Amino acid sequence: MIHELLLALSGYPGTIFTWNKRNGLQVSQDLPFLHPSESSVLNRLCKMGTDYVRFTEFIEQHTGHVHQQEHYSSQPSQTGLHGIYLRAFCTGLNSMLQPYRQALLDLEKEFLGDPHLSISHVNYMLEQFQLLFPSVMVVVETIKSQKIHGCQILETVYKHSCGGLPPVRMALEKILAVCHGVMYKQLAAWMLHGLLLDQSEEFFVKQGPSAGGATAAQEEEEEDLGIGGLSGKQLRELQDLRLIEEENMLAPSLQQFSLRVEMLPSYIPVRVAEKILFVGESVQMFENHNQSPSRAGSILKHQEDMFAAELHRLKQQPLFSLVDFENLVDGIRSTVAEHLWTLMVEESDLLGQLKIIKDFYLLGRGELYQVFIDLAQHMLKTPPSAVTEHDVNVAFQQAAHKVLLDDDNLLPLLHLTIDYQGKESKEASGNREGTTPPQETSPREAPPTGWAALGLAYKVQWPLHILFTPAVLEKYNVVFRYLLSVRRVQSELQHCWALQMQRKHLKSNQTDAVKWRLRNHMAFLVDNLQYYLQVDVLESQFLQLLQQINSTRDFESIRLAHDHFLSNLLAQSFILLKPVFHCLNEILDLCHNFCSLVSQNLGPLDERGAAQLDILVKGFSRQSFLLFKILSSLLLRLDYNKYYTQAGGTLGRSSFSL
């Protein structure tokens, strides 16, 4: 019977110890020579043998390394479990079973030498496994029932290894070390060669953008009128900097990667994972670019072998050390970040590229856009057509020549875009590389004017494309359209002032006084808004950005500084504050309508014109009052010399009764 027991504990049941799929190994009930106490001991041993059989079933099912026996093997279940981490877990589990197999072999030898040894001796020799197997079986059942996949297996094994039973902890730590071997191989391929070896989506780095939140509709309703207290949606726009879907605008040469956070083990902080992501992205960019060997050499400065040896050393450690792991990741990251800084700042003239962004996207070349507005006004005041884009680019080139901007290397990189109705279908076959389409004014709706559809595209040269991504350029485009609308209204109001000066010697009536006082108040608001945007926001933030770039030799610090720069532009120019932004757009529309009214009626206004003027007066008074109330807690250039305050927060109403 002892030999039958040892065979059963090895996974080979017979007539005395039978196998049942539901209950596992059991002592046969019709054995008269067994005392109840012996049956109890044997059933206890059978429970351990059942766990061993289920372990071997699990290993065989997912690796094929252990030979099952036909009399207890179950049908191949379609559990959906797969992947290299699962195979590594099975390998570690198989190694954990080796002492158990050796103990059975030793017992076989002992019983052959001394046939008088009892069942109690078997129970004594296998006591440690009676404690170990049930705890490990909990891990296996968790993986099976919850379909734990990839790096989540690391988390599951780690959590169960934190118990207070030394045999269980040591066994699970050995299994975890085997699983870590897979992670270190993936890390070496990703961080040293830019290769994402992850066919089964098990790694915590993935290709493609990170998944967005599912509560977008709810976020749309969140509003906060204070600058200091941004709503949840606005804060996410600041942090994530995604006003459009990046994956729809990626150039063919630029692959995007992100973290698969659900796969990240809890003992590896997100900050470390972000560094791993950055290193792999940078190395991958260099490996894929055909000019990188000649232009920049190895991004790791030919230290790949040293870093590979360090990763192998960590892999050989029995226990995972976060301190050693993070120190190595920091070392690789520092090497990559410094090399990128040198490449971008010194070799690719990052500061010069930022100056170009400021001059063209942020209207730093004001004289250029003043001439362009004059040239393009007639072609953009109507809904755009298929030829509008060509015409505005001709006007842009003419404006550049008029202000003596004849840079043959720069102008071909810039291209004005018009998002007219029907253009999307024509460009479905492929977008212009390095360009970004303008933000849609409304889904499937033609823009009312060419100005609303205007955008600026810029061909970003390698390797600056990792800083000026399509999504980042679209943010700049949002700011560009906003600044251009302010500048255009300011120009129209100045033109109205010129008309006023031409007629100042003529006799005027009360309506004329109302009209020119309204123009004065509109010009006051728009001029100070323009000054605030260009001086207090753009110039101030740009100087801070340059200072931060010049004070570091780390590319990640540059990227963070640039992200903060763009975030501050969007926030301080009120683009992310919907009530303020909407109010300002309403004011700009009123100003534009006023200028159109004045331009179309050079002489005294008739009754219809006076009625339109009255509507404009009341609308401007209401919107300026609302704007002042919203921003009353802020010290703004708009309240220059306390003019707003002294007027009671209302412009356009006093002495305007017709």
Side-chain angles (χ1 to χ4, degrees):
M1 190 185 73
I2 294 296
H3 291 287
E4 284 272 355
L5 174 62
L6 295 178
L7 283 172
L9 294 178
S10 300
Y12 298 89
T15 56
I16 298 179
F17 300 95
T18 59
W19 174 262
N20 180 281
K21 287 184 179 181
R22 182 176 181 179
N23 299 318
L25 283 175
Q26 285 184 322
V27 182
S28 180
Q29 300 296 323
D30 52 354
L31 297 178
F33 55 85
L34 283 181
H35 190 275
S37 62
E38 290 180 311
S39 296
S40 175
V41 173
L42 289 173
N43 280 323
R44 185 182 178 194
L45 290 171
C46 284
K47 188 177 185 311
M48 180 176 57
T50 299
D51 288 340
Y52 174 76
V53 170
R54 299 204 190 283
F55 287 147
T56 55
E57 276 185 329
F58 183 79
I59 295 170
E60 170 65 19
Q61 183 178 1
H62 299 292
T63 66
H65 289 170
V66 176
H67 296 289
Q68 294 188 45
Q69 299 304 307
E70 292 182 0
H71 50 254
Y72 68 82
S73 63
S74 59
Q75 296 278 336
S77 60
Q78 302 297 324
T79 62
L81 292 175
H82 62 283
I84 52 178
Y85 282 90
L86 181 63
R87 294 177 67 89
F89 174 81
C90 291
T91 301
L93 181 61
N94 194 42
S95 299
M96 184 207 74
L97 297 177
Q98 194 55 40
Y100 173 79
R101 300 188 186 105
Q102 186 61 46
L104 293 180
L105 184 60
D106 293 341
L107 281 171
E108 179 77 14
K109 293 178 180 178
E110 290 180 10
F111 275 103
L112 289 175
D114 185 0
H116 301 291
L117 291 174
S118 65
I119 298 174
S120 297
H121 182 68
V122 178
N123 188 52
Y124 169 74
M125 294 295 292
L126 300 178
E127 182 68 30
Q128 57 175 321
F129 302 107
Q130 295 183 9
L131 182 66
L132 173 62
F133 281 11
S135 298
V136 178
M137 181 55 69
V138 172
V139 180
V140 173
E141 290 298 329
T142 300
I143 292 175
K144 290 170 62 177
S145 62
Q146 300 182 16
K147 291 182 169 55
I148 305 297
H149 180 63
C151 285
Q152 293 174 335
I153 292 178
L154 300 179
E155 175 69 10
T156 302
V157 177
Y158 171 75
K159 283 184 175 180
H160 286 85
S161 70
C162 295
L165 300 176
V168 176
R169 185 180 68 249
M170 292 174 63
L172 291 179
E173 285 174 350
K174 290 179 180 179
I175 296 176
L176 189 60
V178 177
C179 296
H180 279 149
V182 175
M183 184 185 73
Y184 280 117
K185 288 182 179 179
Q186 287 185 312
L187 284 173
W190 173 244
M191 298 180 70
L192 304 183
H193 306 288
L195 299 175
L196 187 58
L197 305 180
D198 188 27
Q199 295 181 351
S200 301
E201 299 182 351
E202 301 177 86
F203 198 39
F204 52 79
V205 173
K206 67 174 181 177
Q207 185 172 337
S210 58
T215 58
Q218 180 178 350
E219 292 170 0
E220 289 291 338
E221 302 300 323
E222 298 181 9
E223 290 186 355
D224 192 326
L225 302 185
I227 295 285
L230 297 177
S231 73
K233 176 176 171 57
Q234 294 161 352
L235 183 59
R236 275 183 285 277
E237 285 178 335
L238 284 172
Q239 293 173 336
D240 200 35
L241 290 178
R242 288 198 182 98
L243 297 181
I244 54 178
E245 294 295 329
E246 292 190 26
E247 65 269 24
N248 295 331
M249 305 188 309
L250 291 177
S253 60
L254 177 63
Q255 291 182 329
Q256 186 191 11
F257 297 88
S258 59
L259 289 180
R260 188 182 282 115
V261 182
E262 67 274 11
M263 288 292 178
L264 185 65
S266 62
Y267 51 87
I268 299 180
V270 175
R271 69 173 187 277
V272 179
E274 292 283 0
K275 297 172 186 176
I276 294 171
L277 174 65
F278 163 70
V279 170
E281 281 183 317
S282 304
V283 174
Q284 198 261 358
M285 179 193 70
F286 270 75
E287 293 292 335
N288 288 348
H289 194 267
N290 53 13
Q291 297 183 21
S292 60
S294 58
R295 289 187 58 179
S298 169
I299 191 173
L300 293 173
K301 299 182 178 179
H302 304 290
Q303 300 182 57
E304 292 91 339
D305 291 343
M306 183 191 74
F307 290 136
E310 286 295 312
L311 281 170
H312 182 72
R313 181 183 63 82
L314 292 181
K315 177 184 172 184
Q316 300 303 315
Q317 290 183 353
L319 295 178
F320 178 83
S321 171
L322 177 59
V323 174
D324 294 343
F325 181 74
E326 187 169 5
N327 285 341
L328 177 57
V329 172
D330 282 339
I332 301 176
R333 193 207 71 87
S334 298
T335 302
V336 170
E338 184 176 353
H339 187 88
L340 275 179
W341 184 94
T342 302
L343 180 65
M344 300 192 72
V345 176
E346 296 182 352
E347 298 185 23
S348 299
D349 189 23
L350 174 61
L351 298 182
Q353 294 294 316
L354 287 170
K355 182 67 165 57
I356 293 173
I357 293 289
K358 179 175 180 287
D359 285 347
F360 291 95
Y361 277 100
L362 306 180
L363 276 57
R365 296 297 298 264
E367 76 283 8
L368 168 66
Y369 285 103
Q370 181 60 56
V371 175
F372 172 73
I373 289 172
D374 294 338
L375 292 175
Q377 183 67 38
H378 68 284
M379 65 183 72
L380 290 177
K381 64 182 179 181
T382 57
S385 64
V387 298
T388 306
E389 184 168 318
H390 173 267
D391 294 342
V392 296
N393 277 284
V394 171
F396 188 74
Q397 297 289 335
Q398 293 174 350
H401 292 315
K402 283 189 176 183
V403 298
L404 304 179
L405 180 62
D406 295 326
D407 191 334
D408 295 334
N409 296 323
L410 174 59
L411 289 179
L413 301 178
L414 296 164
H415 182 79
L416 291 174
T417 62
I418 297 291
D419 185 28
Y420 62 90
Q421 194 173 29
K423 179 180 180 181
E424 195 172 306
S425 60
K426 293 183 179 182
E427 296 187 344
S429 58
N431 284 334
R432 175 189 180 98
E433 183 175 341
T435 66
T436 59
Q439 189 184 39
E440 295 182 1
T441 54
S442 61
R444 298 183 181 179
E445 185 177 314
T449 66
W451 293 110
L454 186 65
L456 179 63
Y458 177 55
K459 276 189 176 180
V460 182
Q461 303 301 302
W462 186 95
L464 295 171
H465 67 286
I466 63 176
L467 186 64
F468 300 114
T469 64
V472 167
L473 290 181
E474 178 57 24
K475 297 325 162 283
Y476 278 119
N477 247 324
V478 172
V479 180
F480 166 73
R481 280 188 288 273
Y482 175 49
L483 295 177
L484 191 61
S485 66
V486 176
R487 186 71 186 89
R488 186 165 57 92
V489 169
Q490 185 183 38
S491 177
E492 292 175 349
L493 289 171
Q494 290 171 351
H495 178 67
C496 289
W497 177 83
L499 295 176
Q500 179 186 359
M501 291 299 99
Q502 292 175 6
R503 299 180 56 82
K504 66 179 181 179
H505 61 281
L506 301 177
K507 185 179 179 180
S508 61
N509 54 29
Q510 184 181 3
T511 303
D512 289 334
V514 172
K515 179 173 62 175
W516 298 126
R517 189 176 291 111
L518 177 60
R519 191 218 69 84
N520 185 51
H521 285 170
M522 285 180 169
F524 170 83
L525 192 154
V526 173
D527 287 347
N528 284 288
L529 173 63
Q530 173 79 342
Y531 192 91
Y532 165 76
L533 292 173
Q534 288 293 338
V535 178
D536 294 352
V537 178
L538 299 179
E539 198 64 38
S540 172
Q541 293 297 326
F542 190 74
L543 287 176
Q544 290 183 30
L545 175 62
L546 295 184
Q547 291 174 359
Q548 291 171 332
I549 291 175
N550 290 324
S551 65
T552 183
R553 292 189 63 86
D554 188 302
F555 170 74
E556 276 290 84
S557 299
I558 291 178
R559 181 151 64 180
L560 183 61
H562 181 255
D563 286 348
H564 285 168
F565 166 72
L566 196 47
S567 299
N568 290 336
L569 289 190
L570 292 169
Q572 295 183 22
S573 61
F574 313 122
I575 291 175
L576 295 183
L577 292 176
K578 288 184 179 180
V580 181
F581 191 55
H582 177 74
C583 187
L584 286 172
N585 283 327
E586 289 290 325
I587 290 174
L588 294 177
D589 287 342
L590 289 168
C591 293
H592 175 71
N593 293 336
F594 170 80
C595 294
S596 298
L597 177 65
V598 171
S599 300
Q600 295 168 7
N601 299 272
L602 297 179
L605 294 176
D606 55 16
E607 185 176 347
R608 181 180 178 184
Q612 292 179 351
L613 179 62
D614 185 50
I615 294 174
L616 292 173
V617 167
K618 292 178 180 178
F620 183 75
S621 175
R622 181 174 60 253
Q623 292 297 333
S624 62
F625 176 77
L626 176 61
L627 179 66
F628 180 76
K629 285 298 182 183
I630 293 174
L631 301 177
S632 59
S633 61
L634 303 177
L635 183 61
L636 292 177
R637 181 75 58 180
L638 297 179
D639 195 20
Y640 176 74
N641 205 24
K642 299 297 181 182
Y643 187 80
Y644 242 152
T645 305
Q646 293 173 6
T650 302
L651 292 181
R653 176 174 294 178
S654 179
S655 303
F656 279 5
S657 58
L658 296 179

